[in-house]
Amino acid sequence: MSMIFDNMGIDPGIVIIVLLVIVVILIGCMVSVSMRMSRLERKYRMFMKGSDAQSLEKSFVRKFNQIDRLYEAKEDHERSINSIAKNFQIIFSKYGVEKYDAFDDVGGKLSFALAMLDKDNTGLILDAVHSRDNCFLYLKEIVKGESYVMLSQEEVEALRKAVNYGLELEEGDEESRHKRKREDK
């Protein structure tokens, strides 16, 4: 081997010294990596020990079980909400009432017209006419805000209130918001 170095013009002692320096550097790197690894292992053990001497793995399992239960509850809630939304399409969500005196000799506005509509303004008008001796009930069908039979003035007013149900509230809210803005300025 010394002949190879002699032919190249390199002193074998220098090669040995360079190799020793490289070995020392590698040993230093190995010691540094080993120290880092032991510190990391200590931190890992502390992390996995968790609080109150419970293992973190048990905490993770418990949390994952909670997540699974929450997911199942979310699915149940979504089904319930979809069912409610489907049923809401067909329920009466708008109403209008107009009270009146049907006859001159009967006071107290005991007669009334009640309009009950769904979101598409389809539903019914219930008209209760009170006299001194009797009470008569009339039911009239409403389709898309219109009746196929003649409506009395009170029934028309009850229907108008039902069709505009919620709009008057929104307009009132809008007016109060504008009023507050003017007062703030």
Side-chain angles (χ1 to χ4, degrees), residues 101-110 130-133:
D101 288 327
F103 303 102
D104 293 332
D105 62 338
V106 178
K109 293 191 175 184
L110 297 176
H130 287 266
S131 69
R132 286 205 181 274
D133 300 326

Side-chain angles (χ1 to χ4, degrees), residues 3-131:
M3 284 170 79
I4 296 174
F5 291 128
D6 285 341
N7 287 341
M8 293 173 63
I10 300 175
D11 186 18
I14 294 176
V15 171
I16 292 174
I17 291 173
V18 169
L19 288 176
L20 281 174
V21 169
I22 291 174
V23 167
V24 169
I25 291 172
L26 288 177
I27 288 174
C29 288
M30 194 170 112
V31 168
S32 172
V33 166
S34 175
M35 288 174 55
R36 285 183 183 172
M37 184 70 155
S38 66
R39 271 188 266 145
L40 184 62
E41 190 174 339
R42 252 187 322 211
K43 288 180 181 179
Y44 173 75
R45 283 190 187 128
M46 284 175 44
F47 181 70
M48 291 306 285
K49 194 174 198 177
S51 62
D52 301 334
Q54 287 184 334
S55 84
L56 193 58
E57 183 179 354
K58 288 180 184 175
S59 296
F60 282 151
V61 167
R62 194 170 46 250
K63 293 297 179 189
F64 285 135
N65 288 337
Q66 286 176 344
I67 289 171
D68 289 342
R69 284 193 305 272
L70 287 173
Y71 182 76
E72 290 170 4
K74 180 193 80 82
E75 292 293 319
D76 290 342
H77 293 155
E78 283 180 356
R79 282 191 292 275
S80 297
I81 288 170
N82 289 337
S83 173
I84 290 170
K86 189 189 312 181
N87 290 335
F88 189 73
Q89 302 294 322
I90 59 174
I91 65 169
F92 295 136
S93 57
K94 300 176 177 183
Y95 69 91
V97 177
E98 184 67 21
K99 294 179 74 175
Y100 63 96
D101 288 327
F103 303 102
D104 293 332
D105 62 338
V106 178
K109 293 191 175 184
L110 297 176
S111 299
F112 65 90
L114 170 65
M116 296 187 301
L117 306 174
D118 64 7
K119 71 174 189 68
D120 296 324
N121 293 328
T122 299
L124 57 94
I125 292 180
L126 180 66
D127 194 11
V129 179
H130 287 266
S131 69

Side-chain angles (χ1 to χ4, degrees), residues 139-158:
L139 184 69
K140 297 179 182 176
E141 183 180 17
I142 304 297
V143 177
K144 302 211 183 276
E146 306 250 337
S147 173
Y148 296 111
V149 295
M150 185 67 106
L151 297 178
S152 69
Q153 180 181 357
E154 293 82 8
E155 292 169 331
V156 169
E157 184 60 24

